[in-house]
Amino acid sequence: RKIFLFIASLSAFILLVSAGFNDQSKKINTKEALGKKLFSEKILSLDSTVSCASCHIPSYAFADTVAFSIGINGIPTKRNTPSVLNMKNRPYFFWDGRASSLEEQSLMPIKNPDEMGLPIEEAIKRLNKNPIYRQLFKKIFNQPVTEKNLAAAFAAFEKTLETVDSKFDDWSNNIKNLNASEEEAGYCSLAAKQNVSIAISWKISPMMILIEHIPMICNLNQIPISLLPPNSAVQLGAFFGSIFK
């Protein structure tokens, strides 16, 4: 009788777990939804303690609340965590522009030893061993997890993280046109805010910012000092003053 009860209990447990898997899979039917789930998945880090959302916190505009995020083993990152909002139309990614696509960018933090520290090959093995992800990738991509479709799922989700409540947002998403002055003002303001004020405070080369990050159509004298963090305005002014005398 004890054996019968044990088998019955085990069977009931298996059915409940299976039902839970199926329920989760039914709710996720697109690459975007799968990417959103993966964004918070901690098994993609070496010790299963860190996910993308650990540093790109959704409630804080997908950025972090500290100067340097903490990766596996309590290791701080070497640069501040940038927001992943409005990534769709960017020509390059990361502060130094080392990735040229969202797909390429999405896998770099996983294998970075100071962030998630997991080789991509191991990440793929873990996902393929997980019954939920195995089922989801089969349903959405009609194949097991691969490096290519893992990157595609992340990129699809990140492309949904767009702000769409300004004329400049509509212009950058090819919805509306701006006149020449509006386009220049919006682009220069965005460049100044995203690439000067923060990058300088994290000791990225001002020369790199000037050449690679600030479009040369911008009037550098019009970058608001209020956008710059404490003590960086002096550095910026000294640099620009030395070359634009």
Side-chain angles (χ1 to χ4, degrees):
R1 185 176 179 181
K2 289 183 179 180
I3 295 175
F4 173 78
L5 289 174
F6 173 76
I7 294 175
S9 299
L10 181 61
S11 299
F13 175 76
I14 292 173
L15 287 173
L16 285 172
V17 172
S18 178
F21 289 165
N22 291 331
D23 185 56
Q24 289 189 48
S25 297
K26 288 178 181 177
K27 293 178 181 179
I28 298 175
N29 298 300
T30 64
K31 290 186 290 184
E32 293 80 0
L34 176 57
K36 182 177 182 179
K37 178 175 175 60
L38 288 163
F39 199 79
S40 297
E41 184 52 74
K42 292 184 176 181
I43 66 169
L44 292 177
S45 65
L46 183 63
D47 57 4
S48 297
T49 61
V50 178
S51 71
C52 299
S54 298
C55 301
H56 299 281
I57 306 171
S59 58
Y60 289 93
F62 289 87
D64 208 342
T65 58
V66 293
F68 301 101
S69 302
I70 302 300
I72 59 168
N73 300 319
I75 302 173
T77 55
K78 292 181 171 61
R79 290 178 179 169
N80 182 273
T81 299
S83 171
V84 293
L85 293 176
N86 300 310
M87 301 275 278
K88 185 168 63 175
N89 295 315
R90 294 185 187 182
Y92 44 76
F93 304 86
F94 295 109
W95 291 118
D96 56 7
R98 65 185 181 273
S100 59
S101 70
L102 270 175
E103 287 79 6
E104 182 183 9
Q105 168 271 328
S106 66
L107 301 184
M108 288 185 175
I110 296 175
K111 57 187 177 183
N112 188 307
D114 295 336
E115 297 180 37
M116 298 170 76
L118 187 68
I120 296 301
E121 296 78 12
E122 178 61 25
I124 292 168
K125 286 180 182 178
R126 289 187 183 185
L127 292 173
N128 276 320
K129 288 180 179 178
N130 184 292
I132 295 177
Y133 285 114
R134 193 165 60 240
Q135 185 177 1
L136 288 171
F137 274 84
K138 178 65 175 177
K139 178 172 67 171
I140 294 170
F141 290 101
N142 197 32
Q143 60 183 187
V145 185
T146 66
E147 182 173 345
K148 183 177 181 179
N149 60 31
L150 177 59
F154 273 121
F157 169 60
E158 290 180 359
K159 287 177 182 178
T160 69
L161 304 178
E162 296 291 304
T163 58
V164 291
D165 55 356
S166 75
K167 290 180 69 175
F168 185 71
D169 290 322
D170 289 341
W171 170 80
S172 66
N173 289 307
N174 300 312
I175 297 173
K176 291 182 180 180
N177 293 323
L178 301 178
N179 61 44
S181 62
E182 287 176 329
E183 182 175 324
E184 179 178 339
Y187 191 64
C188 291
S189 176
L190 183 68
K193 186 174 182 179
Q194 291 185 338
N195 297 315
V196 175
S197 65
I198 301 176
I200 285 180
S201 69
W202 297 317
K203 300 181 181 179
I204 298 176
S205 166
M207 180 63 78
M208 183 197 73
I209 297 169
L210 179 67
I211 295 175
E212 298 185 20
H213 290 257
I214 298 299
M216 296 310 295
I217 62 169
C218 295
N219 182 348
L220 297 175
N221 293 325
Q222 294 180 351
I223 297 175
I225 294 298
S226 61
L227 290 178
L228 302 176
N231 302 321
S232 64
V234 175
Q235 180 184 358
L236 180 64
F239 175 73
F240 285 161
S242 68
I243 62 174
F244 293 118
K245 289 182 179 178

